[in-house]
Amino acid sequence: MLFTNQSAAKAKKPSNQNILLTPWQGPYGGLPPFDKVQVSELPKALEAAMAEGLLEIAAIANNPESPTFENTFIPLQESGDTLSRVKTIYEVWSGSLSTPELRKIETQMNPKLSAYTDKISQNSKLFKRIESVYQSKDFKKLDAESQRLVRVTYTQFVLGGAKLNPTQKTKVSKINQELSKLTTQFAQNQLADEENDYLVVKDIKELKGLPQSIINDALSEAKRLKLKGKWVIANTRSFMDPVLTDSPNRDLREKAFYKWTHRGDNKNSSNNNKIVTKILNLRTQKAKLMGFPSYAHMSLSDTMAQKPEAAMDLMLKVWKPAIAQVHKDVQEMQALADAEAAQLKIKAFKIAPWDYRYFAEKLRQSKYDIDFNLVKPYLSLENIRNAMFWVAGKVFELYFEEVKDVPVFHPTMSVYKVLDKNKNFVGLWYFDPFARPGKQSGAWMSAYREQSRMGGKDIKTLVSNNSNFVPSTNGETLLSWDDAVTMFHEFGHAIHGLSSNVTYESLSGTETYRDFVEFPSQVYENWLLTPEVMKFLKDKNGKVIPQELVKKIQNARTFNSGFDKVEYLASAIVDMKLHMSTAKDIDPKKFEAATLKEIGMPSEIVMRHRIPHFGHIFSGGYSAGYYSYLWAQVLEKDAFEAFTETKDYYNPKIAKKLREYIFSIGNTMDPAEAYRLFRGRDPSVDALLRANGFM
């Protein structure tokens, strides 16, 4: 977001000795002082930084000189630097090191941060200056990147309420502050269930059939929780997926499935259903005040899709063939389930959602003779990381060297210096791979500082990748195939940030359209399956994954794509329909059930993210935007075909164009135009359908 950039370009003297207010010191252009943070100092630091930021904004808004790009947009880019640094620390602790003390601070400070943003975007004097430059004759004399900055800034201010009357501005600001409280509470409730609503197993016989590594991890988790003689399946995807995929114990699968899918939906203080209703009501009110027919229309007005109808049209084009594929797969899976019931002499059963992954894996093995548990020994965390680095060098001319002189916020982290082909310093990559109490679930990329070179300064980016892998007890963490794909995906976001080559920080790296930003990360996933990367996959004895196993992986690459797309699209469609609706007091459970029935959701599958724990849209910035992954996948599949058409996954000419027109430009040009410069045409949805075996 424009007002919370991560630059270290402009340093000011802090009003006191709070380390959080001090400009970052040390090598690499200055580093976040992660090793010196005191949580208790965060509120004071945030308050002081906001006060400083508002003084900077007042100076711009009250400048007696006529508005120009130089006296309005340049200082606006430079403003808020102290708050950016403090917020970097604050957001790291919120996402990765949450504690009861920190959660109280979030409840206190998030509404104030929301109000701070509104004070800037609704500043009438400031907006008049921005609008004046936007409408001036001199606008066309600016270079293309500066013109883009003016357009983007103007649009962001309008969507922030700059054109509203004073009464409307007050209402919108109150709504934003209330939304901040509710979304913070939603996230805290979700984390509470993930931390506390785990599955306790009292008899090891219940774990029969699971990989030994998962059994060991369950024992370690029980020891951490001081549950002697028991095993604990943590409420995280890295734990739940193997249980649902590998356990022959149907009762255990059902219990695990219930825990995972009922986060935020239990009869406890962490229930999120009423919060969802309040959030939806407030979003609708805000959209109407802003002059939009629905929140979805407002949210998509500044995206590639532009309108929710366009996003819905794409989703339904893929939904229909995906549903057809699921029905075919379920028919074959049911035959396997019937045969197993007969063999075990138990009553036959219809496949339920907690059975799907288990019998899908059996079907995969029967059709393609591949057991992904046989692949796992080759998927060590180190192997995948090294493979990612190699691709970064081959395609993006970026090279990684581990460094030890950088403060970290957890001892299991590592940090790498990133260099270009001429050995010039590009930035730092922080890696925080493991799950722990207080860390939000899932995987994500963050930018601690964005790249820029405004005013002759050369600011280098600091990026991080964060995951929730279960740390191994024997020193070698093995990943699932899905985990490996996720690592490549999130690293793609990091490469996007590290490749940035722009002037203005607010247009840098991943600061681009929401339905474009997933494109670079998703295209990076494609290199995982290339023969060159397969050579990095070795077991603990150094043996490379057998070619026969590689061929099986490749042959099965489209298997279960129907499930993957239906599980994802169900969530994306529900998200869009929730935010297109203007109904008051929506009941999440009833809405979810009615929408899934309307679109013909197979009874054997549930949404990837049920509404009560759908953090992407209720606390993570993807409201009315979960469709973005599919929109970006159309770009991604079409883009990677540019390589496959040449029969060279690492074609240097295509790689150069990808760097030049996609990864390095940030938000300095319209993404649709950027894609046409890369591909020579608009993307085709056919590439996506082909990649999923739906043609």
Side-chain angles (χ1 to χ4, degrees), residues 403-557:
V403 292
K404 301 291 187 180
D405 57 344
V406 174
V408 294
F409 55 81
H410 196 272
T412 59
M413 291 178 68
S414 53
V415 185
Y416 292 77
K417 176 171 62 176
V418 187
L419 307 173
D420 65 16
K421 65 178 180 180
N422 297 316
K423 301 297 182 181
N424 296 313
F425 175 65
V426 172
L428 292 180
W429 179 68
Y430 293 71
F431 188 37
D432 177 26
F434 299 121
R436 59 177 167 269
K439 188 176 184 181
Q440 70 181 47
S441 62
W444 65 96
M445 170 268 190
S446 297
Y448 300 151
R449 183 174 70 214
E450 300 281 11
Q451 174 271 330
S452 68
R453 54 173 185 272
M454 193 175 65
K457 296 179 181 178
D458 189 11
I459 305 303
K460 303 301 185 182
T461 190
L462 310 176
V463 302
S464 75
N465 280 148
N466 311 270
S467 305
N468 271 279
F469 305 130
V470 179
S472 172
T473 54
N474 62 10
E476 184 180 48
T477 298
L478 299 179
L479 309 182
S480 69
W481 183 257
D482 285 345
D483 286 339
V485 172
T486 298
M487 268 192 73
F488 263 68
H489 175 98
E490 295 302 334
F491 192 65
H493 281 306
I495 294 297
H496 190 185
L498 289 162
S499 299
S500 181
N501 183 23
V502 307
T503 302
Y504 305 112
E505 183 184 355
S506 64
L507 302 180
S508 180
T510 57
E511 296 291 324
T512 185
Y513 287 176
R514 187 172 55 187
D515 49 10
F516 183 81
V517 76
E518 295 297 336
F519 163 34
S521 58
Q522 289 179 185
V523 80
Y524 207 90
E525 296 174 23
N526 289 271
W527 280 289
L528 174 58
L529 258 176
T530 60
E532 293 84 350
V533 166
M534 289 293 118
K535 295 176 182 177
F536 285 86
L537 307 187
K538 303 176 182 179
D539 64 15
K540 62 182 180 181
N541 298 316
K543 181 182 177 183
V544 176
I545 186 170
Q547 191 60 32
E548 180 185 0
L549 196 51
V550 172
K551 287 181 179 178
K552 290 178 179 180
I553 295 172
Q554 292 171 335
N555 290 339
R557 68 186 182 278

Side-chain angles (χ1 to χ4, degrees), residues 182-330:
L182 292 169
T183 54
T184 298
Q185 189 178 351
F186 183 99
Q188 291 179 353
N189 286 348
Q190 181 181 343
L191 180 59
D193 272 1
E194 289 168 354
E195 285 186 348
N196 303 317
D197 194 31
Y198 42 79
L199 179 59
V200 178
V201 177
K202 298 178 180 179
D203 189 342
I204 195 172
K205 292 179 182 178
E206 292 187 61
L207 302 178
K208 185 179 180 181
L210 286 174
Q212 189 59 46
S213 60
I214 295 298
I215 296 174
N216 293 342
D217 292 339
L219 181 61
S220 296
E221 187 68 6
K223 288 180 179 178
R224 184 185 71 80
L225 293 167
K226 298 179 181 179
L227 296 175
K228 189 175 181 181
K230 296 180 177 64
W231 293 259
V232 169
I233 298 170
N235 208 349
T236 66
R237 188 175 294 278
S238 294
F239 252 116
M240 291 298 182
D241 268 359
V243 173
L244 295 171
T245 301
D246 297 318
S247 176
N249 184 338
R250 191 167 189 246
D251 288 340
L252 181 68
R253 294 200 305 267
E254 183 176 3
K255 291 174 184 176
F257 181 84
Y258 188 91
K259 292 285 186 186
W260 179 242
T261 58
H262 280 72
R263 290 167 294 147
D265 195 23
N266 295 300
K267 293 179 180 179
N268 58 20
S269 59
S270 301
N271 190 292
N272 271 329
N273 286 294
K274 289 182 179 179
I275 293 174
V276 166
T277 301
K278 292 177 182 178
I279 289 173
L280 293 171
N281 283 343
L282 289 168
R283 285 176 176 171
T284 298
Q285 290 175 36
K286 179 178 177 179
K288 289 182 177 179
L289 282 167
M290 296 292 294
F292 291 93
S294 74
Y295 183 84
H297 286 84
M298 183 180 75
S299 183
L300 271 71
S301 63
D302 192 28
T303 63
M304 291 188 74
Q306 295 188 334
K307 295 181 179 180
E309 292 82 5
M312 284 295 297
D313 181 61
L314 173 62
M315 288 191 285
L316 293 176
K317 279 181 181 176
V318 180
W319 176 259
K320 292 173 183 177
I323 282 286
Q325 185 60 52
V326 165
H327 289 319
K328 290 179 183 177
D329 290 344
V330 167

Side-chain angles (χ1 to χ4, degrees), residues 527-593:
W527 280 289
L528 174 58
L529 258 176
T530 60
E532 293 84 350
V533 166
M534 289 293 118
K535 295 176 182 177
F536 285 86
L537 307 187
K538 303 176 182 179
D539 64 15
K540 62 182 180 181
N541 298 316
K543 181 182 177 183
V544 176
I545 186 170
Q547 191 60 32
E548 180 185 0
L549 196 51
V550 172
K551 287 181 179 178
K552 290 178 179 180
I553 295 172
Q554 292 171 335
N555 290 339
R557 68 186 182 278
T558 62
F559 177 77
N560 220 27
S561 58
F563 169 81
D564 291 338
K565 283 291 175 286
V566 166
E567 184 196 40
Y568 156 73
L569 280 171
S571 293
I573 291 169
V574 167
D575 164 39
M576 192 62 72
K577 285 184 172 288
L578 274 171
H579 290 101
M580 289 177 75
S581 173
T582 56
K584 190 177 180 182
D585 297 332
I586 289 174
D587 182 311
K589 287 190 175 184
K590 290 181 180 178
F591 191 96
E592 181 179 306

Side-chain angles (χ1 to χ4, degrees), residues 29-41:
L31 298 168
F34 290 136
D35 57 334
K36 299 177 182 177
V37 172
Q38 294 182 36
V39 173
S40 61
E41 294 295 317

Side-chain angles (χ1 to χ4, degrees), residues 50 54 109-123 157-162 164-182 282-283 285-287 289-290 298:
M50 284 189 284
L54 290 176
M109 296 307 304
N110 285 355
K112 293 184 179 182
L113 288 165
S114 176
Y116 169 83
T117 300
D118 288 336
K119 286 176 183 176
I120 298 174
S121 62
Q122 295 180 7
N123 185 310
F157 269 75
V158 171
L159 290 174
L164 299 178
N165 64 44
T167 300
Q168 291 171 325
K169 286 181 179 179
T170 300
K171 288 180 180 178
V172 167
S173 187
K174 286 182 178 179
I175 288 172
N176 287 341
Q177 291 176 61
E178 185 62 26
L179 282 171
S180 179
K181 292 178 185 177
L182 292 169
L282 289 168
R283 285 176 176 171
Q285 290 175 36
K286 179 178 177 179
L289 282 167
M290 296 292 294
M298 183 180 75

